Amino acid sequence: PIKKLIDIPQLEIPDYFYKLEDADENNVMLHKAVRLLESKNIDFTSYPFYLSSGVSKENLAENAIARSLMNRLIIPAFRNDKMIYYTARSFDSNAKMKYLNPHVPRSSVIYGMDRLFIDVDKPLFITEGFFDSHHVNGVAVLENKMTNNQIELLNKSPRLKIVIPDKKNNKKKNDEGKKLANQALELGWSISLPEYGSCEDISSAITKYGRMFVLNSISKNVMSGFTATVALEMW
């Protein structure tokens, strides 16, 4: 991508958002959120998660959005401590729409953006989803393919960039998941192809094998260049 200044608009935190850690202990949504995060091996106090009160004083449109987000965990994305995006994950695993997002462009959105310029002597792990990135103190691009703006932003970071793709048990879905890794190799970055059996992602692998085993597998299976291309084809 051509080097350019990328504008990333800030979002006002809606009046119906409230922090998960501020919820009353009798709040049903709080308990649903904690169970969801526990299933991902994430402490609910480790990130500023939000819930929706279901009511907005702004207007009818905002009120409708507030209601639609009630039964969901709201995961905000920040840049310089200002919210730039959010995704709302349903507590119902069978929900028709697992995630709801604001109607704003997300081509420049990266979760964990402030990590691009810290710990520059350590590698920067790049994943699809937020939960996986949270476990490795990395960043998430929310899709199995990066946009030009996301690539531009990531390339501004001096850190060694390592993509960790999801591994699906379904071949078609697995081929889709390889797009992110192939992009990384085309850009001259590295990838990691961890060995954790039938688990599809970092969160599920940590549940089954433990955090230290998974982090060790990630670090041991970092590769780049032709070797990585061949390994990815067989993965």
Side-chain angles (χ1 to χ4, degrees):
I2 300 171
K3 290 185 177 180
K4 58 183 178 181
L5 180 65
I6 298 173
D7 180 44
I8 306 173
Q10 296 178 7
L11 297 181
E12 291 292 329
I13 297 179
D15 64 344
Y16 46 88
F17 277 24
Y18 63 96
K19 287 186 177 180
L20 183 61
E21 60 185 28
D22 293 337
D24 184 270
E25 62 179 14
N26 295 318
N27 188 319
V28 174
M29 297 305 168
L30 166 65
H31 294 287
K32 287 185 177 183
V34 170
R35 283 198 297 271
L36 170 62
L37 290 168
E38 284 179 344
S39 72
K40 302 291 185 181
N41 287 282
I42 294 175
D43 182 350
F44 77 94
T45 64
S46 64
Y47 192 82
F49 300 106
Y50 286 91
L51 294 171
S52 171
S53 67
V55 179
S56 174
K57 296 178 181 178
E58 290 293 321
N59 51 54
L60 290 176
E62 284 296 304
N63 206 52
I65 295 173
R67 287 198 305 273
S68 70
L69 299 181
M70 274 195 71
N71 199 39
R72 294 173 178 271
L73 175 70
I74 300 167
I75 310 168
F78 297 98
R79 186 192 187 203
N80 297 329
D81 296 323
K82 302 293 184 182
M83 190 171 76
I84 57 172
Y85 197 73
Y86 68 81
T87 186
R89 208 270 199 190
S90 175
F91 296 135
D92 181 3
S93 58
N94 297 316
K96 186 175 181 181
M97 296 189 69
K98 194 172 184 179
Y99 291 95
L100 291 179
N101 307 300
H103 297 294
V104 296
R106 72 176 189 183
S107 61
S108 303
V109 172
I110 296 173
Y111 272 82
M113 194 170 290
D114 291 340
R115 292 181 175 139
L116 297 182
F117 302 102
I118 62 172
D119 297 326
V120 294
D121 57 330
K122 298 178 181 178
L124 178 67
F125 293 114
I126 302 164
T127 68
E128 284 186 39
F130 165 80
F131 295 124
D132 290 336
S133 71
H134 187 76
H135 282 299
V136 295
N137 292 321
V139 299
V141 295
L142 298 178
E143 296 283 353
N144 60 11
K145 187 176 181 181
M146 293 176 285
T147 66
N148 281 345
N149 281 4
Q150 288 174 324
I151 293 170
E152 184 73 38
L153 288 165
L154 289 165
N155 267 330
K156 292 180 186 296
S157 172
R159 300 175 66 175
L160 171 68
K161 285 160 278 292
I162 302 173
V163 163
I164 310 172
D166 289 350
K167 183 178 183 181
K168 307 296 184 183
N169 294 320
N170 177 288
K171 185 182 184 305
K172 183 178 179 181
K173 289 183 178 180
N174 196 44
D175 289 341
E176 286 291 308
K178 290 180 180 180
K179 288 181 179 179
L180 186 62
N182 278 316
Q183 270 189 305
L185 296 176
E186 289 169 4
L187 289 162
W189 301 353
S190 299
I191 62 173
S192 176
L193 304 178
E195 298 173 357
Y196 33 60
S198 61
C199 296
E200 294 189 348
D201 53 32
I202 295 169
S203 292
S204 57
I206 287 177
T207 299
K208 188 170 183 178
Y209 298 110
R211 180 179 175 81
M212 293 306 297
F213 173 87
V214 173
L215 294 180
N216 186 51
S217 183
I218 290 171
S219 64
K220 283 171 53 180
N221 289 283
V222 174
M223 58 193 80
S224 59
F226 180 73
T227 302
T229 301
V230 173
L232 184 62
E233 284 295 317
M234 301 173 61
W235 196 58

